[in-house]
DNA sequence: ATCATTGTTCAAAAATTATTGAACTACGCC
DNA sequence: GGCGTAGTTCAATAATTTTTGAACAATGAT
């Protein structure tokens, strides 16, 4: 603060992809994916990274990403790890450079599959144990409530079946 | 404080629905819905409340809920408000009592519809504006990248259409 | 009209989750 | 070997979200 009176704002070069900061187009794309990330419960940084890679015409390195988005290398590394294991991002065979470069996987089916496999399926599986335990407890409930709770647990089982059946259907619908 | 020396701990009655604390069955049901809430990005208290109402054989009042789950009235009020506006919970016409009682809506279709309408649809709508802005920016991009970014934005539009088409399909699949 | 009961709101506190940055490993090059 | 670049990990910090609880409005009973 307390700028010298004569100080002037330095304007960035008018054209050419900046090494730091985002073009308006990139910023808009990043924003869109940040919003999407929020919707599916993922951290903002992951949305930023994927968004930048999605719109970028060329593969980007970890450092490119951290610099352009102004996030730490740590965040970039963690975010890319997640995106890699989830299949949303690919390491592309870099001809010239010494470091790894990434590009976005843009097939909706691949993205959805990765996300569902990683984030939803585990819950469906652990749900089975839960349901089994619930079923046992319901069977032992006091007589007055037994029919009611048994019915509810049956309904939960039906939900579970339907959810499990939904996953492959979803993937098919989004497919190729 | 400062209890008399001879005071003894009062054990809760061995049976009958406790006015405070949860039965093992209730605890298990609550847990299950807490997990579900996490999955869809809702606060724990909302999962707790819905879980308790789901398994309960009788409608419960706000105070019942706060007491049994050991959460504040504030949380219970906010949670119930959300569940009401989302259609996951119903005020049921209480014959005798002076206060409102709630019961869980258990139709999967109604639940899914409420959730999708409330949590997903708004994003799909704002997405349209976003896409329009992106499209304009892409059209003005430097020639070298233009075809690439225009293609990407087209792909985003196709994602958007598919997502929008998915919603009614989903509801139908879960229906009745 | 006063008091008790029910429920809401919202600022402050607590809990949770994401991000940072420094320490560290691994690798290639000189 | 020693040095520089890439990348990962993780404890500490920051940001965000949730929960609390006290103040308040509304309604009904006496």
């Amino acid at each position: 603060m307390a700028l010298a009176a004569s100080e002037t704002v330095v304007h960035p070069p008018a054209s050419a992809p900046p090494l730091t900061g985002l073009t308006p187009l990139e910023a808009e794309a990043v924003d869109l994916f940040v919003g999407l990330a929020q919707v599916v419960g993922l951290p903002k940084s992951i949305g930023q990274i994927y968004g930048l890679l999605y719109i970028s015409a060329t593969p980007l390195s970890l450092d490119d990403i951290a610099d352009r988005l102004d996030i730490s290398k740590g965040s970039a590394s963690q975010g890319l790890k997640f995106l890699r294991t989830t299949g949303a991002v690919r390491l592309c065979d870099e001809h010239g450079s010494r470091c790894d470069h990434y590009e976005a996987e843009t097939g909706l089916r691949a993205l959805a599959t990765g996300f569902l496999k990683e984030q939803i399926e585990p819950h469906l599986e652990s749900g089975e144990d839960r349901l089994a335990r619930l079923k046992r407890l319901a069977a032992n409930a006091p007589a007055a409530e037994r029919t009611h709770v048994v019915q509810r647990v049956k309904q939960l089982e039906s939900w579970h079946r339907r959810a499990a059946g939904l996953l492959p259907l979803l993937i098919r619908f989004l497919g190729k």
Side-chain angles (χ1 to χ4, degrees), chain A:
Chain A
M1 31 218 55
L3 301 178
S6 63
E7 198 157 15
T8 58
V9 173
V10 175
H11 291 278
S15 74
L19 259 122
T20 187
L22 301 175
T23 65
L25 172 63
E26 286 168 340
E28 186 70 35
V30 165
D31 261 23
L32 185 142
F33 281 99
V34 166
L36 230 157
Q38 314 267 63
V39 172
V40 301
L42 260 32
K44 177 171 148 181
S45 63
I46 288 184
Q48 293 177 287
I49 296 169
Y50 184 81
L52 180 56
L53 288 172
Y54 185 87
I55 205 66
S56 172
T58 62
L60 299 176
S61 72
L62 188 152
D63 280 303
D64 291 341
I65 293 170
D67 289 349
R68 307 276 307 277
L69 293 173
D70 193 32
I71 63 179
S72 67
K73 276 197 334 162
S75 268
S77 174
Q78 289 178 192
L80 283 169
K81 172 152 75 166
F82 174 87
L83 291 168
R84 246 182 292 129
T85 74
T86 227
V89 132
R90 250 196 315 273
L91 249 150
C92 64
D93 11 271
E94 353 98 40
H95 37 295
S97 173
R98 201 145 38 61
C99 66
D100 295 341
H101 283 242
Y102 294 93
E103 60 187 8
E105 165 65 58
T106 65
L108 189 49
R109 170 185 230 148
L111 290 171
T113 304
F115 179 77
L116 294 173
K117 277 230 155 61
E118 193 82 15
Q119 311 285 300
I120 308 298
E121 233 177 54
H123 290 278
L124 279 178
E125 281 165 27
S126 71
E128 278 166 43
D129 303 347
R130 285 234 151 103
L131 280 174
R133 231 169 314 145
L134 257 185
K135 206 169 183 177
R136 197 171 43 67
L137 288 167
N140 291 3
E145 304 157 12
R146 184 149 50 227
T147 49
H148 173 262
V149 297
V150 164
Q151 188 276 339
R152 288 283 148 108
V153 172
K154 283 218 178 88
Q155 188 174 41
L156 280 178
E157 288 177 326
S158 134
W159 289 11
H160 187 268
R161 272 193 305 277
R162 290 207 252 180
L166 193 53
L167 251 54
L169 223 86
L170 261 182
I171 291 173
R172 189 129 42 84
F173 177 82
L174 299 171
K176 193 46 215 294

